[in-house]
């Protein structure tokens, strides 16, 4: 009801005066130029002709107000840009001294808790599954057919979001292929029963326990090693080894260093074993290793 | 023993690996993600020739060797102990003349200490240990991270993957490098041990560049992690860090190697 009462006079012709007043008030609130809008009020007192004048004054006041607002906005923008430039200049000499926060694009940030169960050791069945899936892959069929390879490790692996394999049960299998003198590394998707990644390289993975045992047996059977060992010496350790000298066989061939000595003491002898051909390539007193 | 620990504002998981020692994974501090996983992929050992001969070719010494630290060399159970202001995990490894104790220490004030006590005695005196730690920190989530190093008295942003040796400079807390997260403003500050010639390798995380099962990449080539380094930008990316120490054997052994890591901004 109150709203109807206020709008009624405007329909009767006296509204021009009040509208002009309201426009003038609005303009005044924005800028001093809007003060001109108060003139129609005087003109209205002089009759109908004055009403037209008041309308013109209203239009003028409106335009003035719009220009004032535009000027004010431009001024504000200039002020903001100047402040930004100042802030940038101030920050530049301190490059990297403070951590700048940047707003991450929506949906980009990933703070997912991760599934701890995906890190759990492979079960015997999962390990068998991974090896079977891998050796049935056509890409390494020649290796599987010859059967001269060692499984170095089969361990669970996890992939972080947002990678496509994240959240899946994966096994990382590393094989050393003696027939091709190469390393085969694969990621097997146990959920999807598929080889997700396969890579072959000339890298030398660690020795598996069977290779360590083989290296010890080869070294123990070598006549030069036997001649150098004392009665109480025994194999202490087989370590993965490669030589820095390109004239050594161990520079490029899969090798182990077998340490001999008395348990609890420093080794007395080191034998380098070429695991590809199964023979000792170097016998060195430990003190001059 | 459960492999999840929730103490001293930390929530961490652990497991023994086949070759990378005791691994920590999905670790949160005050309820927010700090790291995806961290491990000790290997400790290589170099030997130096103690006497000189006339034949220069004989003076090069032998290349490095190493033995995996894992279930095969574990010399006792994993111990979880509380200490004043935190808790720690410890495990011993023994392999012939080499013996180690791996430690993960978590402090309630946000400090993390991945350490390795090297006992020796080794093959002979002239040898150097190179423990390699790998950290996949995910500060408040994987992306949006960057690396900075303290240089010429201030923190400098690292643009690309690379190798960043410790120059002796550090901030007031001794940190020489820090990984920062743009979204939260949090940082992980890494303070190296001053007596181990530490260096840091920073690599952009890639699916497929998993922790290597050996330092040996190919004959005559770079070893890992150097073999992973390219020219990829690190700014605002998911970053993986390798902390490598170089510890020469001496009479003062055992020596405890490894950095201090401090969480800031959480």
């Amino acid at each position: 009801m109150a709203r109807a009462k206020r709008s009624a006079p405007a329909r009767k012709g006296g509204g021009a005066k009040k509208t002009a007043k309201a426009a003038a008030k609005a303009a005044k609130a924005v800028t001093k130029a809007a003060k001109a809008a108060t003139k129609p009020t005087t003109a209205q007192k002089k009759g109908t002709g004055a009403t037209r004048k008041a309308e013109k004054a209203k239009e003028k006041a409106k335009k003035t107000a719009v220009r004032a607002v535009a000027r004010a906005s431009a001024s504000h923008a200039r002020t903001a840009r100047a402040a930004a430039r100042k802030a940038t200049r101030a920050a530049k000499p301190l490059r990297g001294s403070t951590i700048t926060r940047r707003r991450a694009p929506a949906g980009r940030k990933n703070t997912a808790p991760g599934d701890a169960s995906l890190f759990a050791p492979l079960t015997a069945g999962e390990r068998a599954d991974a090896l079977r899936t891998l050796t049935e892959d056509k890409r390494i069929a020649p290796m599987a057919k010859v059967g001269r390879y060692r499984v170095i490790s089969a361990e669970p692996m996890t992939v972080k979001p947002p990678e496509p394999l994240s959240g899946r049960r994966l096994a990382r299998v590393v094989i050393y292929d003696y027939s091709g003198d190469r390393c085969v590394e694969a990621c097997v998707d146990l959920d999807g029963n598929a080889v997700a990644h396969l890579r072959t390289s000339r890298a030398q993975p660690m020795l598996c326990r069977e290779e360590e045992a083989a290296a010890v047996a080869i070294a123990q059977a070598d006549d030069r090693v036997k001649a150098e060992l004392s009665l109480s010496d025994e194999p202490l350790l087989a370590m993965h080894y490669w030589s820095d000298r390109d004239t050594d066989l161990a520079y490029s061939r899969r090798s182990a260093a077998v340490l001999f000595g008395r348990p609890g003491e420093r080794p007395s002898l080191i034998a380098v074993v070429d695991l590809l051909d199964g023979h000792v390539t170097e016998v060195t007193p430990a003190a001059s290793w | 023993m459960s492999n999840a620990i929730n103490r001293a504002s930390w929530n961490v998981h652990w497991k023994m690996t086949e070759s990378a020692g005791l691994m920590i994974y999905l670790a949160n501090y005050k309820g927010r993600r700090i790291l995806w996983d961290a491990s000790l992929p290997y400790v290589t050992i170099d030997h130096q020739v103690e006497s000189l001969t006339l034949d220069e070719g004989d003076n090069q010494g032998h290349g490095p060797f190493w033995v995996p630290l894992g279930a095969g060399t574990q010399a006792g159970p994993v111990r979880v102990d509380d200490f004043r202001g935190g808790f720690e995990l410890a495990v011993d490894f023994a392999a012939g003349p080499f013996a180690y104790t791996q430690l993960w220490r978590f402090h309630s004030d946000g400090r993390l200490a991945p350490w390795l006590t090297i006992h020796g005695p080794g093959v002979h005196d002239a040898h150097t240990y190179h423990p390699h730690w790998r950290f996949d920190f995910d500060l408040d989530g994987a992306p949006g991270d960057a690396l900075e190093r303290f240089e010429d008295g201030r923190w400098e942003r690292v643009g690309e993957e690379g190798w960043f040796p410790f120059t002796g400079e550090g901030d007031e807390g001794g940190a020489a490098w820090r990984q920062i997260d743009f979204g939260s403003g949090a940082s992980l500050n890494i303070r190296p041990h001053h007596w181990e010639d530490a260096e840091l390798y920073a690599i952009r995380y890639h699916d497929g560049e998993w922790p290597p099962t050996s330092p040996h990449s190919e004959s005559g080539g770079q070893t890992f992690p150097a073999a992973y380094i390219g020219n990829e930008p690190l700014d605002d990316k998911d970053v993986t860090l390798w902390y490598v120490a170089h510890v020469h054997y001496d009479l003062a052994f055992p020596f405890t190697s490894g950095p201090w890591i401090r969480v800031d901004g959480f």
Side-chain angles (χ1 to χ4, degrees), chain B residues 48-69:
Chain B
Q48 295 84 44
V49 175
E50 291 186 295
S51 58
L52 296 175
T53 65
L54 292 174
D55 183 1
E56 195 176 317
D58 287 344
N59 290 334
Q60 293 179 13
H62 287 81
F65 57 34
W66 74 291
V67 64
L69 301 186

Side-chain angles (χ1 to χ4, degrees), chain B residues 191-203:
Chain B
R191 189 182 97 191
H193 196 306
H194 281 217
W195 304 113
E196 63 184 16
D197 294 329
E199 56 195 18
L200 193 81
Y201 291 84
I203 301 162

Side-chain angles (χ1 to χ4, degrees), chain A residues 115 118 158-161 163-170 191, chain B residues 36:
Chain A
D115 185 351
L118 295 176
T158 54
V159 172
K160 290 198 288 187
E163 302 291 344
L165 288 173
S166 65
R168 301 182 72 83
R169 180 65 164 160
L170 306 172
D191 291 340
Chain B
W36 181 263

Side-chain angles (χ1 to χ4, degrees), chain B residues 27 29-30 42 58 72 82 109 113 119 132 134 146 156 175 204 218 221 258:
Chain B
Y29 176 65
K30 291 185 175 176
Y42 36 81
D58 287 344
D82 288 319
D109 61 4
H119 299 279
H132 290 59
R134 178 184 180 275
E156 289 280 355
R204 184 176 168 189
E218 59 182 45

Side-chain angles (χ1 to χ4, degrees), chain A residues 95-96 101-102 109-111 113 119 155 157 160 172 203-204 206 209 240 245 251-252 266 282 286 289, chain B residues 15 18 33 60 62 65-66 121-122 124-125 136 138 140-141 143 155 181-182 210-211 214 217 220 238:
Chain A
R95 182 176 42 151
R101 294 184 185 209
R102 294 183 196 167
K109 201 72 177 171
N110 192 333
T111 54
F119 288 83
E155 290 191 279
M157 68 171 297
K160 290 198 288 187
R172 182 187 184 192
Q204 293 275 353
M206 65 181 186
R209 292 182 194 179
H240 181 205
R245 293 180 288 212
Y251 179 78
S252 57
R266 280 183 161 166
E282 183 182 348
W289 178 258
Chain B
K15 70 170 182 177
E18 285 190 29
R33 174 62 42 80
Q60 293 179 13
H62 287 81
F65 57 34
W66 74 291
H124 56 67
D125 283 351
D136 188 355
D138 281 354
D140 226 19
W155 286 106
D181 177 62
F182 292 126
W210 306 306
S214 159
S217 60
D238 186 4

Side-chain angles (χ1 to χ4, degrees), chain A residues 95-233:
Chain A
R95 182 176 42 151
S97 62
T98 53
I99 298 171
T100 311
R101 294 184 185 209
R102 294 183 196 167
R103 184 172 294 174
R108 194 196 69 171
K109 201 72 177 171
N110 192 333
T111 54
D115 185 351
S117 69
L118 295 176
F119 288 83
L122 298 180
T123 64
E126 286 178 321
R127 181 184 164 91
D129 185 352
L131 294 176
R132 181 172 175 159
T133 303
L134 176 59
T135 51
E136 285 179 349
D137 190 287
K138 287 181 181 175
R139 290 171 288 181
I140 57 166
M143 181 197 84
K145 189 176 179 182
V146 172
R148 193 164 173 254
Y149 64 90
R150 297 271 193 195
V151 177
I152 304 301
S153 67
E155 290 191 279
M157 68 171 297
T158 54
V159 172
K160 290 198 288 187
E163 302 291 344
L165 288 173
S166 65
R168 301 182 72 83
R169 180 65 164 160
L170 306 172
R172 182 187 184 192
V173 181
V174 179
I175 288 176
Y176 192 75
D177 176 12
Y178 278 87
S179 59
D181 188 13
R182 62 180 183 164
C183 176
V184 176
E185 194 171 1
C187 169
V188 179
D189 180 357
L190 295 170
D191 291 340
N193 196 30
V195 177
H197 284 292
L198 181 67
R199 180 170 56 198
T200 59
S201 69
R202 307 295 288 182
Q204 293 275 353
M206 65 181 186
L207 302 182
C208 65
R209 292 182 194 179
E210 292 81 7
E211 287 177 303
E212 291 175 359
V216 168
I218 292 164
Q220 280 182 309
D222 186 85
D223 289 339
R224 287 174 296 166
V225 173
K226 284 180 189 172
E228 296 291 334
L229 292 180
S230 63
L231 283 175
S232 53
D233 284 344

Side-chain angles (χ1 to χ4, degrees), chain A residues 1 26 32 62 71 87 92-93 107 116 120 129-130 144-145 155 174 196 202 205 219 230 234 263-264 270:
Chain A
M1 288 298 287
K32 287 179 181 177
K62 269 187 181 177
R71 273 200 303 275
K92 233 174 183 176
D129 185 352
K145 189 176 179 182
E155 290 191 279
V174 179
R202 307 295 288 182
S230 63
E234 59 182 73
I270 298 179

